[in-house]
């Protein structure tokens, strides 16, 4: 009886870990797809990964792209873009990204994503800090 209970507990734990890993992989795929859309100057493609709340603030792809170009240059154009730690809290994921910008300077981006009713993830925000800068 104890062995059966232990096996059930282990399967629940590993099932949860696997589901979490799948969610992180899906969220990273969304961030990567948006990063690649920026590289192609594909405003509509980049905008498609934004959550509804962001689309309310930036109601068209060209407005969104202009904001990214002016306020998030290291995200828009960079030499490297590497995923780091992630954290899941409920239906939200926080994903850190190490970025080396076009000038060789290091940055830390913190993307937040939220699971949508259809199960997909959309980007709800991005905070950008120079590496080593206090929060």
């Amino acid at each position: 009886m104890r062995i059966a209970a232990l096996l059930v507990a282990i399967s629940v734990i590993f099932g949860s870990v696997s589901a979490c890993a799948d969610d992180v992989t899906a969220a990273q795929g969304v961030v990567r797809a948006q990063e690649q859309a920026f590289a192609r100057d594909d405003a509509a493609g980049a905008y498609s990964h934004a959550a509804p709340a962001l689309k309310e603030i930036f109601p068209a792809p060209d407005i969104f792209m202009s904001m990214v170009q002016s306020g998030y240059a290291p995200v828009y154009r960079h030499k490297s873009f590497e995923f780091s730690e992630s954290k899941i809290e409920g239906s939200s994921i926080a994903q850190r990204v190490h970025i080396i910008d076009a000038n060789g300077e290091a940055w830390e981006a913190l993307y937040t994503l939220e699971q949508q009713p259809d199960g997909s993830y959309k980007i709800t925000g991005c905070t950008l800090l120079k590496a080593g800068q206090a929060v």
Side-chain angles (χ1 to χ4, degrees):
M1 183 69 145
R2 287 183 183 175
I3 292 175
L6 180 61
L7 290 175
V8 168
I10 289 172
S11 68
V12 167
I13 290 168
F14 283 113
S16 296
V17 168
S18 176
C20 290
D22 290 346
D23 288 341
V24 167
T25 299
Q28 288 177 348
V30 170
V31 172
R32 181 68 71 192
Q34 187 179 67
E35 178 244 349
Q36 291 171 348
F38 289 144
R40 296 187 308 271
D41 285 319
D42 177 3
Y47 189 69
S48 73
H49 301 292
L54 275 180
K55 289 181 175 181
E56 286 180 21
I57 298 167
F58 306 101
D62 59 327
I63 295 169
F64 177 74
M65 186 67 102
S66 179
M67 175 275 301
V68 171
Q69 290 168 335
S70 65
Y72 293 83
V75 171
Y76 177 65
R77 292 289 187 262
H78 49 266
K79 290 181 179 177
S80 73
F81 191 93
E82 304 281 333
F83 291 113
S84 184
E85 307 86 39
S86 57
K87 181 179 179 185
I88 298 175
E89 197 168 298
S91 63
S92 298
I93 295 179
Q95 176 64 58
R96 288 194 179 278
V97 180
H98 299 297
I99 298 172
I100 303 297
D101 71 14
N103 298 318
E105 295 193 50
W107 295 82
E108 293 289 326
L110 177 63
Y111 281 84
T112 54
L113 299 95
E114 190 165 277
Q115 194 169 34
Q116 304 302 297
D118 67 0
S120 68
Y121 281 92
K122 297 287 183 184
I123 298 168
T124 57
C126 178
T127 303
L128 188 62
L129 294 172
K130 270 203 161 180
Q133 182 178 351
V135 177

